[in-house]
Amino acid sequence: MKLLKNTRKKVVTLAVASALGGVAMMSAPAHAMNVAQDGKGEVLLFPYYTVKNGFDTIFSVVNTSDRTTLFKIRFREAKNSREVRDFNVALSPHDVWTGGVTISGADGALVRTFDKSCTSPILPAGPNGSGQVEFTSIGYDGSDAQFAYDNGGRNLSRVQEGYVEIIEMAWSTIPEAAIPAAGTSIETVTQHVAGVPRSCATFDAAFLDPANLVNGPTGSGVFSTFTAPANVLVGNATLINIASGQAYDATPTAIQAFQNSNTIIFPPGGTGPSLADGEDSLTPAAVTANMLIDGVPQPLPVAPRAPLVATSVDAVSTLLMANSLINEYASGGTETSGARTDAVVTFPTKHHYT
């Protein structure tokens, strides 16, 4: 048996950066959008997936709280960050959702899961009791009027590498101990009983009624017991090649306090929620935490000022800006070493600007 090689630090660098240039660093005010230091957040940006050269990409998402949470998972191809597949997931309290991206045919890819957590839409049946769905080129090839051709080529092979964004849509107000054992509430039907949710069909059907999709401080219709997202999601991913015994970690960047005011519940198959649906934050009005403005510590609270950024997308870009990427690398080609380093840099907001 070949041992997996964990080359977490030196062989592959997986970095997330924004589509913009550098910016002066500042400490994040309380309750303002920020990059999580503990890995927990409302947005998880997985820097890379691939099915090329014998690799699969496996990943997990954990709900660390005692409340049901809803999130959108969206796969974007590498060339121009165009969407190739998305669906909604419900995670019951302290639940985990796992899946993987693998090759399909000569040029395609698909996502497969053996997890029983509810999704919308319900994924088609795959081998050995799994659910799976193919990636598609309609987001960039011009075949769908909703998505213009992006001039990057129409080949399906573009779906074989990219990155993953997960955006929490809402968080339940009902703790686990108070979830009813019977009924049609989202919390009840998505809760696992002996490892299987009570009714994923009910969860899926909820997104077909526009009355359920009116977003505000609390949800509407069957989502009325849900409120704005909370910093409860944690994720992990591994690029793995069984044949060669290689494995590389791809830890996501987590963004906290992305949307503190409203639910952002959208049906599957559309463009929302996206990184444009967060707070227009980084606005230090009445901030109750220390902050640097022009390099000078501010008293508490900070007096109201004009927004530091204009939109949610700009806020995310600002958080991820960097003047440079610095890391170890291997340079082979000598008699003693043929080592090489692949650096993967992801631009999660690029498609909002280009």
Side-chain angles (χ1 to χ4, degrees):
M1 179 182 294
K2 294 182 180 180
L3 298 178
L4 295 180
K5 298 183 290 184
N6 188 340
T7 53
R8 181 189 304 262
K9 293 183 179 179
K10 294 185 178 180
V11 178
V12 174
T13 298
L14 297 171
V16 175
S18 77
L20 302 180
V23 70
M25 297 301 292
M26 67 184 73
S27 60
H31 309 301
M33 198 186 298
N34 65 94
V35 175
Q37 301 303 303
D38 60 1
K40 291 195 300 183
E42 299 172 10
V43 172
L44 301 178
L45 300 173
F46 291 79
Y48 190 55
Y49 78 80
T50 185
V51 300
K52 292 188 172 185
N53 303 315
F55 276 89
D56 293 327
T57 305
I58 56 177
F59 47 86
S60 62
V61 183
V62 181
N63 176 9
T64 63
S65 75
D66 69 341
R67 316 287 176 92
T68 303
T69 188
L70 313 177
F71 68 82
K72 169 85 73 178
I73 181 168
R74 182 179 285 111
F75 299 85
R76 294 189 178 277
E77 54 83 36
K79 194 166 191 177
N80 281 329
S81 300
R82 301 305 182 187
E83 180 180 327
V84 296
R85 182 58 67 186
D86 80 84
F87 49 89
N88 296 342
V89 181
L91 277 183
S92 54
H94 302 115
D95 193 13
V96 59
W97 186 82
T98 59
V101 181
T102 190
I103 197 165
S104 177
D107 297 321
L110 59 81
V111 57
R112 177 179 296 148
T113 179
F114 292 89
D115 197 288
K116 301 304 180 183
S117 295
C118 292
T119 66
S120 179
I122 296 173
L123 303 184
N128 302 314
S130 66
Q132 66 181 37
V133 62
E134 299 275 347
F135 286 176
T136 175
S137 62
I138 65 172
Y140 58 80
D141 65 12
S143 63
D144 188 312
Q146 185 179 2
F147 307 103
Y149 175 50
D150 72 344
N151 296 308
R154 293 183 168 89
N155 295 334
L156 181 62
S157 60
R158 284 177 57 177
V159 308
Q160 292 192 335
E161 65 178 343
Y163 67 95
V164 185
E165 63 182 28
I166 286 177
I167 301 176
E168 187 179 354
M169 300 188 294
W171 188 56
S172 177
T173 58
I174 302 176
E176 183 175 19
I179 295 177
T184 59
S185 73
I186 296 299
E187 292 86 350
T188 297
V189 300
T190 59
Q191 188 177 38
H192 290 244
V193 178
V196 180
R198 292 184 176 94
S199 177
C200 287
T202 302
F203 173 70
D204 182 30
F207 294 96
L208 299 177
D209 186 351
N212 296 330
L213 306 176
V214 180
N215 290 297
T218 57
S220 57
V222 297
F223 297 115
S224 61
T225 54
F226 284 80
T227 188
N231 300 317
V232 299
L233 296 181
V234 173
N236 189 53
T238 301
L239 281 60
I240 186 168
N241 187 319
I242 299 297
S244 65
Q246 295 172 287
Y248 308 106
D249 287 347
T251 304
T253 295
I255 296 177
Q256 295 184 336
F258 175 72
Q259 175 54 264
N260 289 325
S261 302
N262 298 302
T263 61
I264 44 176
I265 302 172
F266 289 82
T271 58
S274 72
L275 296 180
D277 291 306
E279 304 276 4
D280 298 342
S281 70
L282 301 184
T283 306
V287 170
T288 56
N290 288 316
M291 181 176 178
L292 298 178
I293 296 180
D294 298 329
V296 179
Q298 302 298 301
L300 301 179
V302 176
R305 287 168 51 110
L308 295 179
V309 295
T311 68
S312 170
V313 171
D314 291 342
V316 175
S317 296
T318 300
L319 290 176
L320 302 179
M321 284 180 180
N323 284 318
S324 61
L325 300 177
I326 302 172
N327 199 70
E328 294 180 344
Y329 65 93
S331 179
T334 68
E335 294 180 357
T336 59
S337 173
R340 293 290 190 273
T341 297
D342 286 340
V344 177
V345 184
T346 303
F347 298 84
T349 62
K350 172 183 175 180
H351 60 284
H352 290 281
Y353 300 102
T354 61

